[in-house]
Amino acid sequence: MIAGTVVLVVIHVILNCCMGMNEEKLFPDESTRTAIAHFLHERLRTARNRLPNGPVTPSVNLESFRATLKSKKFEQPEDIQELFEWVIASLETGIVHPTHPRYFGLFNPQPTFPAICADAIAAEFNPQICVWSHAPVAVEIENHVVEQIASRAGLPNDSRGHFTSGGSEANCTAVVCALTAAESKFAQIGARAFKGQPKIYVSKESHLAWFKIAHQLGIGRNAVSLVPTDGSGRMDTSLLHQQIQHDLSNDEVPILIAATAGTTNAGMVDPLQESAEVAAHFGLWYHIDAAWGGALIASPKYRGELDGIERADSITIDAHKWFATTMGAGIFLTRRAKVLAEAFSVSTDYMPSNDASVDPYVTSIQWSRRFVGLRLFLSLCVAGWEGYARHVEHAINMIDRLVNELAPAGWTVVNASRMAVACLVPPGNSIAVNDLVDRVVAAGNSWVSMTRFEGQAVVRACATNGNLTESDVDQLVADLMKHTVSAPSTAAEERG
Ligand SMILES: *Cc1c(COP(=O)(O)O)cnc(C)c1O
C-alpha cells in the first residue's frame, strides 16, 4: 500500500518535472533563448548566402519530406535546434524562392531588411492593435503610415484607412463600403436591400479575387461584370459606360467601379480619369486597385502613370508587393471615413472602448490584428521616399534592359507598361510559350511565368527583387535564348 503510494508520488513528480520542462521549451529562460536565437540567426545566414547559387524552384524529395512530416504526431518533445535544421533545409529545397535574384515572378518580393526586423519586434511585444487604448503607440504608428501614403496618393487630409492582410482584403473592404454607402438598409438586411442584382465593374484583366469577394459578401458572383479591354490591356471606358447603362435598364444595381492601376499580368493602368468620370456620372463608388503599381507614388519620375488615383473613393496598395515588406501586409485607403466606420461598426461590452474614430476593430474586417504596419514604417523611415523611388526605378530599368537585350533576337514586348513587368513573345513560331516557360523553369536557373495578354500567350517577367543586378538580367536573357530555337520571322511581323 505504502509502496504503491510512493510509486504514484514518484510518477507524479516525474510528470510534473517533464511538464515543467516542456513549458520551459515554450518559454525558455534568458540564456537558453539567447543561445537558440544565435543558432537560428547563423543557420538563416548560411541559407541566405547559399540561396543565389541554388535553383529558384523546389528540388526537395517530397516523399521523404512527407514521411518525416507525418511521423510528427507531437507525442515526443523534440529538440528545437534540430527542428530548425529540418524546417530550414526543407524550405531551402521546398519552395519557389521569391528571395532568389532570378525570381522574375508574381510580385512576391525579397523583403526589405527593416521589414524583417519589424516582424521580430512585433513578435516580441505582440501588441493587440484592435483597440487604440491597448496599444496606442502601435495604432498611431500604423495610422501615421496610412496618412502619409494617402497624402502621397493625393487623397484629402481627412482620409482614413488601415493595414490589411493583403490586396484581396483591401478590395473586399472597398466593396463592403460601396454597398453600405449605396443602400442604407444593406447593413441590416444584406443583399435583399437592393431591388436587383448589385453590380461591380472591373476590367477582364483585373485580379479575379473580385469573384471570391462577391461570393463572400453574398451578392453573388454574377455581381462581377468583366468589362472588355481596349486591345492594350486597359479597361475600355466607353464599353464600361454602355454596360452600366444596359444593367440599369435591366433593373440591376450598379454599385462600384474598380479600376486597376497595374494589372497583375501586364502592369497596365486602366484609364483612371475616364473611369472617374463614369463613376461620377452614375454616382458609383470609385475604387482603384493599385495593389502592385501603387508603389509608383514613390517616384516623381513615374508618379504620372497613376494620374487620377487621387480621385478615388478608395484605394488598395499592397505593402508586401512593390513596397517589399514581408508577406501579409496590404493597405486600404478611403476619403470616405464615415462610411468605413459605418460599415464595420459594432459595440461590445467587453472591449475597453468603442470609439469609431480610433479603434481599428470597428473600422476594418479584422478584429485581433498583428502589428504589420511597422514593416512599412521602418522601411520608409530608413529609405525615405527617395530610397523607394530608386527601388521602383531600378526595377523598371532592369526590365527595360531585359526588353532591349531580347529585341535584337526578334523578341517583342506586347504590353506598353511603364512598370517593371514585360509580356514577351519569342521570335517567330520557334517554340510554344508554355513549352519555353516549362523548360526555363525546369532548368531552375531563372523563374518566369506564362500568361495571356489580350488573348496572346506570353512569357511574363517581373522584377521583384530589390537586389536584382544587370548580370541576373543577362542570365535570364541567356536562359530564354538557350531554350528558343531562332526562326526567321519575328512575332511583331506576324502580328502585322
Ligand atoms: C496581387 C493583387 C491583388 C491581390 O492582393 P493579395 O495581396 O494577393 O491579396 C489584387 N489586385 C491586384 C491588381 C494584384 O496585383
Side-chain angles (χ1 to χ4, degrees), residues 107 166-169 171 207 260 262-264 289 291-292 318 320-321:
F107 301 151
S168 299
E169 183 194 325
N171 285 345
H207 190 282
T260 308
T263 56
T264 313
D289 179 3
W292 176 60
D318 268 349
H320 67 202
K321 283 181 175 170

Side-chain angles (χ1 to χ4, degrees), residues 56-57 102-106 402 424 433 436-438 440-441 446-450 459-462 476 480:
V56 193
T57 41
R102 284 183 306 284
Y103 172 72
F104 292 90
L106 305 176
L402 174 71
L424 298 154
V433 168
L436 173 63
V437 168
D438 285 351
V440 170
V441 170
S446 309
W447 198 94
V448 290
S449 55
M450 191 208 109
V459 179
R460 178 185 180 283
C462 178
L476 172 61
L480 288 171

